[in-house]
Amino acid sequence: LGDMFKKNDIRVTCHPGQFAVISSDSDSVIQNTIKELNYHAWMFDQMGFEHSPYYAINVHGGKRGNVERAIGTINSLPEQTRKRLTLENDESSYNVVELLKIHDKTGTPIVWDSHHHTFNTGNMDVSTASGEAIKTWGNIKPLQHLSNTEIGLENGSFTERRKHSYYISYIPENQKQLILENKVDVDVEVFTLLLLLVRVPLITLLLVFTLVDVEVDVDILLLVDVEVDVDMLLLLFVDIEVELLLLLL
């Protein structure tokens, strides 16, 4: 798989599950988190990927207010894990302002999620938050996330509004411009895509999504019965990742 991805210039990242909490108060949770992150790093090593956040192991900040705990966990990670780690802003605990505090002590880049930002801005507007996150990547192409609230639920409860929609109906103007200028890679998170990944061969998925960012979680992909056609992979204009399919299996 690694040779195929590199040959076809496909960026691969992963998103460990919700039980990987880098800022937990529990020592046992921290140790289990480190084991899980190291597993993902080992998998990327087997595919020959460099130790770089270009091949991101993406996590959230975890328990609210535990910035120092998160910093300690990150700095304790082995090099092959630490250098691939990225931090994503979330809708309740860690906005870009909080993640910048962690970045300053660890160098870990920030994956800016435009949907999460609408719930937890840290008093930053969209352009500022996106720009500050981009700066944390240095000379590596930044990764961002894009999803929407389901149409019709805009005035719903917090839980209803935070869920990923089935389709993308809106892209923030700032993020759209970055995409058009090819300045960021964007992971599109929609339920329709996840359902397709489970229910149809990958070749069909690629035919449907040839102009769309597709994200998939590599370790989960190995558990799904899919067919990969390299010629179709070449039709994608942007990167293929892999995401939370396990919840749908």
Side-chain angles (χ1 to χ4, degrees), residues 140-203:
I140 298 170
K141 191 176 185 182
L143 179 67
Q144 294 190 347
H145 285 187
L146 169 65
S147 59
N148 294 157
T149 294
E150 184 66 25
I151 293 176
L153 295 179
E154 295 87 352
N155 296 317
S157 67
F158 175 84
T159 300
E160 289 173 328
R161 289 181 290 116
R162 70 182 288 274
K163 289 180 181 177
H164 293 161
S165 61
Y166 282 85
Y167 305 95
I168 294 297
S169 58
Y170 169 74
I171 305 175
E173 192 59 41
N174 169 269
Q175 195 168 39
K176 183 190 301 183
Q177 192 61 37
L178 291 169
I179 294 169
L180 291 173
E181 295 174 1
N182 196 28
K183 291 183 177 179
V184 298
D185 287 331
V186 176
D187 155 20
V188 175
E189 299 175 317
V190 288
F191 277 125
T192 303
L193 172 59
L194 300 182
L195 291 170
L196 280 169
L197 280 168
V198 173
R199 294 177 179 173
V200 302
L202 185 58
I203 179 65

Side-chain angles (χ1 to χ4, degrees), residues 50-227:
E50 64 185 278
H51 298 173
S52 163
Y54 182 83
Y55 299 105
I57 301 173
N58 187 54
V59 297
H60 292 286
K63 185 175 180 181
R64 182 181 300 154
N66 273 12
V67 168
E68 292 303 320
R69 184 74 159 169
I71 291 170
T73 300
I74 293 172
N75 286 335
S76 73
L77 294 171
E79 184 262 359
Q80 69 269 24
T81 306
R82 187 182 70 258
K83 286 193 173 182
R84 292 177 173 128
L85 198 72
T86 60
L87 294 167
E88 177 187 348
N89 60 302
D90 65 73
E91 66 275 23
S92 57
S93 298
Y94 285 84
N95 51 47
V96 172
V97 174
E98 293 297 310
L99 293 182
L100 285 170
K101 297 175 184 177
I102 301 175
H103 166 77
D104 288 344
K105 298 291 182 65
T106 64
T108 306
I110 297 172
V111 174
W112 184 66
D113 187 303
S114 57
H115 182 55
H116 291 165
H117 178 79
T118 63
F119 297 92
N120 188 11
T121 66
N123 294 318
M124 282 186 172
D125 59 32
V126 166
S127 180
T128 302
S130 172
E132 290 299 314
I134 286 173
K135 290 177 186 177
T136 66
W137 287 82
N139 60 0
I140 298 170
K141 191 176 185 182
L143 179 67
Q144 294 190 347
H145 285 187
L146 169 65
S147 59
N148 294 157
T149 294
E150 184 66 25
I151 293 176
L153 295 179
E154 295 87 352
N155 296 317
S157 67
F158 175 84
T159 300
E160 289 173 328
R161 289 181 290 116
R162 70 182 288 274
K163 289 180 181 177
H164 293 161
S165 61
Y166 282 85
Y167 305 95
I168 294 297
S169 58
Y170 169 74
I171 305 175
E173 192 59 41
N174 169 269
Q175 195 168 39
K176 183 190 301 183
Q177 192 61 37
L178 291 169
I179 294 169
L180 291 173
E181 295 174 1
N182 196 28
K183 291 183 177 179
V184 298
D185 287 331
V186 176
D187 155 20
V188 175
E189 299 175 317
V190 288
F191 277 125
T192 303
L193 172 59
L194 300 182
L195 291 170
L196 280 169
L197 280 168
V198 173
R199 294 177 179 173
V200 302
L202 185 58
I203 179 65
T204 306
L205 173 71
L206 296 177
L207 284 168
V208 174
F209 285 95
T210 52
L211 300 181
V212 182
D213 247 342
V214 179
E215 181 178 357
V216 198
D217 204 349
V218 176
D219 51 341
I220 304 305
L221 177 61
L222 299 178
L223 302 178
V224 182
D225 183 16
V226 295
E227 301 169 8

